[in-house]
């Protein structure tokens, strides 16, 4: 059997609040293989983003185990987890989080430089990605000069910069209109077809419909798949 | 993109804020530079002044001080004995008084002057001839008392070599009525230790005695000695052995005394103000960087989520601090130089400060110290913002940024 | 004219010997002196000790005295770096020690006379009269107007110059901080403007905020200065072994600080928020 990209068992995440302990995630188990395109839906506050952050090694579960490509994440150092996020996982956020003082080109190039890619490789890869997302002619524009959809496409190109095995997207169409959201959804299809596993948290039924698997969450638990 | 490249972009993204921050560092850096100059300025300047006088040993009476000198007993025989020492190259006796200087035929109370009486070897060291000639090596009987006057006196009273003046000495502490003595200006000389507003004239020891209507007993309050090259310590030891009742001071000892007494206040002030300046710079840079980080928490969390390690985030912030402090610190040097001129001019208005003495003197080591202190401050100031940025909870920050 | 005291710090003081402090009839008959605190601490002297003072380094011209107590020398700002190793004695005792038998006039020579006038306003008239009666003396009031070359006037100018530079530097930083604060609130101000709040109201808000921050900063600064003046004074008093006060935050200085910092703070707030006040609503919202 192929090693899953990510496998979580009994994942629990609790937060200590002034009013008491809040369990955002309650014993969730999930497996994502290399060919998977998973959509996670549910009402606000059900723990979707919390699950995504744990899968992306951005947050750590209070209980349970998580393995990324067979490696136990809980046993890794922060430095090792950073390295996984940089080279094996791509993140797309609802609010894009592009660096405002860099151009589209520079935003996409930045993670490659951090990963140690050569200048020639970075140039080739960045050009390829901007072409991939249809923004070659906007390469020298700063985020303030781009529309919401364009910014999200740059963010997707950035997430793919180091050829990750897994793309995690947290409400990628949350700030976009319906038409632009559909464009982003189409782009995700293409990314998936080209071999990248995707886990997307979304409220958008159109995006969720394109996924091969659908997890529905409620009150911190997966209620249907 | 390198860490410093990203830091530069971050700073350049808010040009107004960054320019103001750099301006602040420039001004504070200039003040720090000045305080570092002040910490040793008097010492360096005084050393230059003392060394330029050409003598390396000073002999004074045990009582009194370098500034308020008592007469040396048997100064003439002391001079003879010291001159015979093989380690000694030349010497001069010095005695000072104050007098009233009048120009014949001109109305008015005349000039109050300090009169320095020396033996011939003082030329070229206690004063530098600007025009005319120096004092004769010995007095010529019947001739008017030879006089060197300062350029200011020469200018105010229109004196030239050959001009005749009258001199009446004052005797401190008593009402005296010494006669006017005729003197002839033989030269105009710049006096190394003359303070602004002071007026100094020089004559021979015999001339001074004549003005006191006293025998030429070569009385002196200080003996200046120039030792042969490399024989300074031996000369001082030999002189001390000759006259244990006197104080024999090398230039280093003179400087040390002044450093300990007269200059120490400025050293302390410079230390206090330097410390306060650095604390100020630290506080302000730390506040600026912290506010900057707080404004960019979302970006920082996103970078961390994308896999940028903590050390990279820390490096970015360090470079931001370094750029602000580096650019501001470099600009602080020329600004500090101009400020030093202004502050030096203020402090030199103090009474009794020789015109050639400066409070702020440039030394290359000051640049190094300035850079090191500012650099250390920049690093320290970045520590808290770095801690904030590297320790932020990524998921919680992302969530908060999305909801805000 | 008050009782005349002569301070005995003439040329060659030498405390040669201390006789054990036993109040013997002989000791009680000795003339009394007071020693400065610094001298007492350095030589471990106490009241009742008998000491020998000599006018020459070789010990000649010595006399025995009984220490009656110690005193704190009046701090002299001009001589604060000098170590105050001194003693006070009655004038006849000093004259008896220092008179040159060959010079009858030396028995009547003193260095200074301190005078307290019945009417302090008479200083000028008194000075003129004294100089007229005794040419060659210098008469100086203890309180005199500082001219430009007075060392303390020069130091004051120096410190004012340093203060001006510090204010310039801190103004630059303050402006930078205010610009940052304005940037932070750009969107908030845009929303406020969008819902109809006038520019005038926002200007008033900025002014009031600037005033409160500046006033709080000024008060805090003064409190910090008051708190640290003790430390600065203690340091310098320890360093120079003196009772001189080096730093004093007076009411006048506090008021001057407030008068400078509060308007600066308000101005910085205004300048920092200028772009917010001038930009249109959509620009503020980034649309």
């Amino acid at each position: 059997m192929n090693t899953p990209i990510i496998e979580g068992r009994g994942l629990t995440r609790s937060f200590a609040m002034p009013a008491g302990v809040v369990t955002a995630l309650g014993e969730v188990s999930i497996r994502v293989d290399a060919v998977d395109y998973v959509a996670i839906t549910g009402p606000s506050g059900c723990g979707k983003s919390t699950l995504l952050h744990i899968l992306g090694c951005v947050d750590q579960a209070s209980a349970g185990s998580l393995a990324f490509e067979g490696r136990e994440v809980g046993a890794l150092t922060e430095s090792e987890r950073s390295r996984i996020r940089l080279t094996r996982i791509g993140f797309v956020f609802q609010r894009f989080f592009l660096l405002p003082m860099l151009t589209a080109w520079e935003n996409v190039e930045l993670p490659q430089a951090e990963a140690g890619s050569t200048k020639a490789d970075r140039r080739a890869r960045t050009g390829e990605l901007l072409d991939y997302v249809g923004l070659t002619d906007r390469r020298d524009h700063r985020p303030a000069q781009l529309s919401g959809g364009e910014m999200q496409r740059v963010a997707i190109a950035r997430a793919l910069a180091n050829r990750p095995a897994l793309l995690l997207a947290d409400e990628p169409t949350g700030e976009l209109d319906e038409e632009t959201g559909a464009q982003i959804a189409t782009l995700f299809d293409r990314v998936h077809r080209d071999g990248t596993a995707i886990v997307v948290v979304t409220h958008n039924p159109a995006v969720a419909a394109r996924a091969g698997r659908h997890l529905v969450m409620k009150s911190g638990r997966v209620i249907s798949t | 993109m390198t860490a410093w490249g990203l830091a530069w972009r971050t700073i350049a993204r808010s040009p107004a804020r960054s320019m103001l921050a750099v301006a602040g560092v420039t001004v504070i850096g200039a003040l720090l530079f000045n305080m570092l100059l002040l910490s040793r300025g008097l010492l360096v300047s005084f050393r230059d002044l003392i060394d330029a006088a050409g003598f390396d040993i000073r002999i004074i009476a045990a009582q009194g001080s370098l500034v308020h000198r008592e007469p040396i007993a048997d100064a003439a025989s002391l001079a003879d004995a010291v001159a015979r020492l093989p380690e000694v190259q030349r010497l001069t006796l010095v005695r000072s008084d104050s007098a009233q200087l009048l120009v014949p035929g001109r109305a008015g109370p005349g000039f109050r002057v300090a009169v320095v009486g020396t033996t011939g070897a003082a030329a070229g060291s206690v004063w530098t001839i600007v025009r005319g000639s120096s004092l004769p090596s010995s007095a010529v009987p019947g001739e008017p008392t030879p006089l060197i006057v300062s350029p200011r006196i020469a200018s105010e009273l229109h004196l030239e070599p050959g001009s005749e003046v009258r001199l009446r000495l004052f005797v401190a502490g008593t009402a005296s009525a010494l006669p006017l003595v005729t003197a002839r200006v033989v030269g105009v000389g710049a006096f190394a230790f003359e303070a602004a507003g002071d007026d100094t004239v020089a004559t021979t020891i015999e001339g001074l005695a004549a003005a006191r209507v006293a025998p030429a007993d070569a009385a002196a309050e200080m003996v200046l000695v120039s030792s042969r090259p490399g024989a300074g310590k031996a000369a001082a030891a030999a002189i001390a052995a000759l006259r244990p009742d006197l104080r024999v001071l090398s230039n280093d000892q003179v400087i040390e005394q002044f450093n300990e007494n007269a200059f120490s206040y400025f050293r302390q002030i410079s230390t206090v103000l330097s410390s306060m300046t650095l604390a100020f710079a630290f506080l302000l840079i730390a506040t600026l960087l912290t506010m900057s980080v707080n404004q960019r928490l979302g970006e920082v969390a996103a970078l961390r989520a994308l896999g940028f390690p903590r050390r990279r985030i820390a490096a970015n912030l360090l470079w931001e601090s370094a750029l602000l402090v580096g650019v501001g610190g470099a600009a602080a040097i020329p600004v500090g130089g101009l400020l030093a001129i202004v502050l030096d001019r203020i402090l030199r208005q103090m009474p009794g400060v020789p015109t050639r003495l400066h409070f702020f003197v440039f030394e290359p080591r000051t640049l190094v110290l300035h850079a090191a202190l500012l650099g250390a401050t920049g690093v320290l100031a970045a520590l808290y913002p770095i801690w904030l940025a590297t320790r932020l909870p990524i998921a919680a920050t992302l969530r908060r940024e999305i909801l805000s | 004219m008050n009782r005349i005291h002569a301070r005995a710090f003439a040329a060659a003081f030498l405390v040669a010997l201390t006789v054990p402090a036993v109040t013997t009839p002989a000791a009680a008959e000795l003339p009394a002196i007071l020693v400065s605190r610094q001298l007492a601490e350095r030589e471990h002297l106490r009241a009742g000790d008998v000491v020998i003072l000599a006018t020459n380094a070789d010990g000649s011209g010595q006399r025995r005295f009984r220490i009656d107590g110690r005193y704190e020398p009046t701090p002299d700002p001009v001589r604060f770096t000098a170590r105050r190793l001194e003693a006070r004695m009655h004038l006849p005792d000093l004259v008896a020690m220092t008179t040159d038998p060959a010079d009858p006039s030396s028995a009547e020579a003193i260095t200074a006379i301190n005078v307290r006038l019945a009417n302090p306003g008479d200083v000028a008239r008194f000075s003129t009269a004294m100089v007229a009666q005794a040419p060659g003396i210098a008469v100086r009031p203890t309180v005199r107007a500082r001219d430009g070359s007075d060392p303390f006037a020069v130091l004051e100018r120096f410190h004012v110059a340093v203060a001006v530079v510090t204010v310039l530097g801190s103004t630059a930083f303050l402006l930078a901080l205010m610009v940052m604060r304005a940037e932070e609130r750009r969107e908030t101000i845009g929303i406020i403007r969008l819902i109809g709040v006038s520019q005038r109201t926002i200007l008033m808000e900025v002014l009031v905020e600037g005033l409160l921050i500046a006033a709080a900063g000024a008060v805090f600064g003064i409190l910090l200065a008051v708190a640290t003046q003790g430390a600065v004074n203690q340091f310098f008093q320890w360093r120079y072994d003196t009772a001189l006060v080096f730093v004093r935050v007076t009411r006048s200085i506090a008021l001057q600080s407030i008068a400078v910092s509060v308007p600066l703070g308000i101005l910085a707030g205004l300048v920092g928020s200028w772009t917010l006040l001038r930009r249109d609503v959509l620009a503020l919202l980034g649309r």
Side-chain angles (χ1 to χ4, degrees):
Chain A
M1 189 156 73
N2 288 337
T3 307
I5 291 178
I6 200 153
E7 184 168 21
R9 294 194 183 155
L11 296 171
T12 302
R13 183 68 169 103
S14 305
F15 296 97
M17 300 294 221
V21 174
V22 170
T23 302
L25 207 61
E27 293 188 2
V28 170
S29 293
I30 181 170
R31 179 190 166 114
V32 179
D33 291 307
V35 297
D36 280 349
Y37 184 168
V38 181
I40 304 174
T41 60
S44 289
C46 71
K48 310 187 294 293
S49 295
T50 305
L51 176 60
L52 202 73
H53 290 156
I54 291 173
L55 295 181
C57 305
V58 168
D59 199 4
Q60 285 190 276
S62 311
S65 70
L66 181 75
F68 189 92
E69 292 181 327
R71 294 168 75 190
E72 183 57 42
V73 172
L76 298 176
T77 62
E78 170 53 35
S79 203
E80 287 166 330
R81 287 198 295 274
S82 284
R83 195 70 194 167
I84 288 175
R85 292 199 298 270
L86 184 66
T87 57
R88 306 302 295 147
I89 299 175
F91 239 111
V92 177
F93 306 97
Q94 180 177 347
R95 294 191 94 176
F96 327 127
F97 285 132
L98 297 176
L99 293 184
M101 63 282 196
L102 302 183
T103 61
W105 179 279
E106 287 163 340
N107 267 286
V108 175
E109 194 188 16
L110 189 63
Q112 299 173 66
E114 185 58 29
S117 188
T118 65
K119 197 168 177 182
D121 285 346
R122 292 202 305 266
R123 187 179 293 135
R125 179 69 179 155
T126 306
E128 176 194 336
L129 284 168
L130 284 175
D131 184 54
Y132 189 79
V133 299
L135 287 175
T136 304
D137 58 339
R138 307 301 292 273
R139 53 178 276 172
D140 293 325
H141 289 215
R142 293 214 159 92
Q145 297 164 308
L146 302 173
S147 69
E150 287 168 341
M151 281 198 278
Q152 195 61 292
R153 281 191 271 161
V154 172
I156 292 169
R158 181 179 68 180
L160 297 172
N162 289 324
R163 296 184 172 82
L166 176 66
L167 184 70
L168 299 175
D170 190 358
E171 300 281 6
T173 61
E175 303 255 320
L176 307 174
D177 60 80
E178 199 177 314
E179 188 185 332
T180 313
Q183 289 171 3
I184 299 299
T186 304
L187 186 51
F188 276 174
D189 284 347
R190 189 177 167 199
V191 168
H192 178 242
R193 276 199 308 275
D194 289 339
T196 306
I198 299 180
V199 177
V200 59
V201 162
T202 184
H203 277 127
N204 189 330
V207 172
R210 296 183 192 227
R213 280 168 56 204
H214 192 170
L215 266 56
V216 180
M217 291 185 67
K218 186 177 178 186
S219 302
R221 293 178 184 274
V222 175
I223 56 171
S224 74
T225 57
Chain B
M1 180 167 288
T2 55
W4 80 262
L6 196 57
W8 173 253
R9 290 299 195 88
T10 307
I11 286 170
R13 123 192 199 188
S14 306
R17 175 212 305 183
S18 300
M19 275 180 3
L20 285 167
V22 166
V25 173
T26 299
V27 173
I28 297 302
L31 192 59
L32 174 67
F33 186 57
N34 273 262
M35 292 306 110
L36 293 175
L37 291 177
L38 181 63
S39 68
R40 280 177 48 90
L42 272 175
L43 192 64
V44 171
S45 181
F46 189 65
R47 179 181 290 282
D48 286 345
L49 206 55
I50 291 270
D51 288 345
F55 297 98
D56 59 333
I57 295 172
R58 280 159 176 76
I59 308 170
I60 58 174
Q63 299 90 340
S65 67
L66 279 162
V67 176
H68 303 291
R69 300 183 289 266
E70 295 289 321
I72 295 175
D74 297 326
S77 57
L78 168 68
D80 286 340
V82 171
R84 282 198 295 274
L85 290 172
E87 298 91 349
V88 169
Q89 200 169 55
R90 64 187 175 106
L91 63 84
T92 188
L93 301 177
V94 176
R95 184 180 175 134
S96 55
D97 262 309
S98 56
Q100 188 185 22
L101 187 135
L102 300 148
V103 178
R106 205 168 289 175
F111 259 57
R112 183 156 183 136
V113 299
V115 184
V116 176
T118 70
T119 51
S125 42
V126 178
W127 62 81
T128 309
I129 292 294
V130 173
R131 56 181 185 277
S133 59
S134 191
L135 295 171
S137 52
S138 58
V140 177
E143 284 289 309
T145 300
L147 214 60
I148 304 282
V149 300
S150 69
R152 193 173 103 97
I153 295 172
S155 163
E156 289 284 328
L157 298 178
H158 308 293
L159 299 175
E160 287 297 330
S163 300
E164 212 169 78
V165 296
R166 303 273 191 271
L167 214 56
R168 175 186 280 130
L169 251 58
F170 298 124
V171 180
T174 67
S176 61
L178 289 172
L180 282 168
V181 167
T182 302
R184 178 168 292 130
V185 175
V186 299
V188 178
F191 291 86
F193 290 89
E194 188 179 52
D198 285 354
D199 295 302
T200 309
V201 301
T203 185
T204 57
I205 284 274
E206 295 88 355
L208 192 56
R212 291 176 66 87
V213 192
D217 58 3
E221 62 203 32
M222 183 160 65
V223 182
L224 300 173
V225 178
S226 176
S227 61
R228 299 197 185 283
K233 277 199 178 132
I239 296 168
L242 266 178
R243 287 288 296 272
D245 61 313
L246 299 175
R247 287 167 66 195
V248 181
L249 301 165
S250 65
N251 282 358
D252 282 345
Q253 287 170 316
V254 169
I255 290 163
E256 182 51 39
Q257 279 202 11
F258 273 90
N259 194 31
E260 191 50 42
N261 298 322
F263 302 164
S264 69
Y265 174 71
F266 294 98
R267 264 205 332 277
Q268 306 298 340
I269 277 293
S270 101
T271 304
V272 170
L273 287 177
S274 297
S275 308
M276 284 170 58
T277 307
L278 286 171
F280 193 50
F282 165 81
L283 199 62
L284 290 167
I285 295 168
T287 305
L288 266 171
L289 284 178
T290 303
M291 279 183 75
S292 172
V293 164
N294 280 331
Q295 284 182 340
R296 295 180 284 150
L297 286 177
E299 277 169 40
V300 174
L303 284 175
R304 295 278 287 119
L306 289 172
F308 281 66
R310 284 182 176 143
R311 61 177 155 70
R312 176 59 194 261
I313 306 290
N316 284 351
L317 281 167
L318 266 178
W319 271 109
E320 276 181 51
S321 181
L323 282 169
L324 283 176
V325 171
V327 173
I333 302 302
V335 172
L338 289 172
L339 182 63
I341 294 171
V342 171
L343 293 178
D344 193 60
R345 213 171 267 169
I346 293 175
L347 285 176
R348 282 171 58 219
Q349 291 167 8
M350 283 216 192
V353 172
T355 49
R356 284 169 52 182
L357 192 70
H358 291 275
F359 289 76
F360 297 84
V361 175
F362 175 75
E363 291 179 284
R365 60 190 257 175
T366 310
L367 279 177
V368 174
L369 188 57
H370 182 254
L373 285 171
L374 271 185
T377 304
V379 168
L380 285 172
L383 287 182
Y384 176 66
I386 286 174
W387 182 86
L388 265 184
T390 54
R391 296 279 169 233
L392 59 78
I394 305 170
T397 306
L398 288 171
R399 201 175 298 121
R400 198 170 52 236
E401 289 293 309
I402 288 165
L403 292 174
S404 69
Chain C
M1 196 184 292
N2 276 349
R3 187 164 60 102
I4 294 169
H5 268 287
R7 283 184 300 169
F9 54 72
F13 256 129
L14 179 66
V15 180
L17 184 63
T18 303
V19 174
V22 173
T23 309
T24 63
E29 286 162 7
L30 290 174
I33 62 170
L34 299 176
V35 293
S36 67
R37 172 189 54 80
Q38 290 87 339
L39 179 58
E41 283 171 359
R42 191 179 116 135
E43 299 296 329
H44 309 292
L45 302 172
R46 295 189 312 264
D49 285 352
V50 173
V51 296
I52 295 172
L53 299 179
T55 53
N56 296 311
D58 61 7
S60 60
Q62 60 174 255
R63 292 192 70 191
R64 284 154 59 105
F65 293 89
R66 182 188 77 253
I67 294 177
D68 257 8
R70 61 161 71 178
Y71 69 97
E72 181 67 43
T74 304
D76 185 348
V78 179
R79 296 173 52 225
F80 71 90
T81 58
R83 294 159 77 192
R84 303 295 293 272
L85 304 176
E86 54 191 57
R88 282 183 180 174
M89 59 178 61
H90 293 290
L91 181 59
D93 293 332
L94 179 62
V95 169
M97 264 186 74
T98 58
T99 298
D100 178 2
D103 180 6
S105 69
S106 68
E108 296 182 3
I110 55 172
T111 47
I113 300 174
N114 294 344
V115 175
R116 176 183 282 179
L117 298 178
N119 177 7
D122 270 346
V123 168
R125 193 180 61 78
F126 179 80
S127 302
T128 309
M130 287 308 301
V131 169
Q133 289 182 39
I137 64 170
V139 182
R140 293 193 195 93
T142 52
V143 176
R144 60 183 191 275
R146 289 195 199 156
D147 65 21
S149 66
D150 178 276
F152 299 101
V154 172
L155 279 178
E156 192 174 324
R157 285 202 290 280
F158 171 73
H159 285 295
V160 166
V162 168
V164 166
V165 172
T166 310
V167 166
L168 283 174
S170 54
T171 302
F173 271 119
L174 187 59
L175 277 171
L177 291 173
M178 290 301 182
V179 165
M180 288 176 77
R181 283 190 74 244
E183 277 170 24
E184 251 178 9
R185 299 154 61 188
R186 181 178 49 80
E187 210 172 77
T188 310
I189 299 290
I191 292 167
I192 291 173
R193 291 278 308 281
L194 193 64
I195 63 176
V197 175
S198 70
Q199 270 183 315
R200 193 164 178 278
T201 306
I202 294 172
L203 173 63
M204 287 309 300
E205 189 262 327
V206 165
L207 277 174
V208 168
E209 202 177 84
L211 175 63
L212 287 173
I213 292 174
V219 168
F220 179 72
I222 289 164
L223 288 175
L224 187 63
V226 169
T228 50
Q229 77 174 346
V232 172
N233 282 327
Q234 272 189 14
F235 169 72
F236 279 104
Q237 284 167 355
W238 163 79
R239 173 69 181 78
Y240 294 111
D241 193 14
T242 175
L244 199 61
V245 172
F246 289 79
V247 175
R248 180 173 283 145
V249 178
T250 62
R251 198 154 165 257
S252 158
I253 286 171
L255 288 172
Q256 280 176 53
S257 303
I258 293 172
V260 168
S261 56
V262 170
L264 261 181
I266 295 170
L267 195 61
L270 261 179
V271 169
S273 306
W274 187 246
T275 49
L276 286 186
L277 297 166
R278 297 275 306 186
R279 270 199 220 164
D280 65 41
V281 177
L282 291 177
L284 287 171
L285 292 170
R287 304 279 180 221

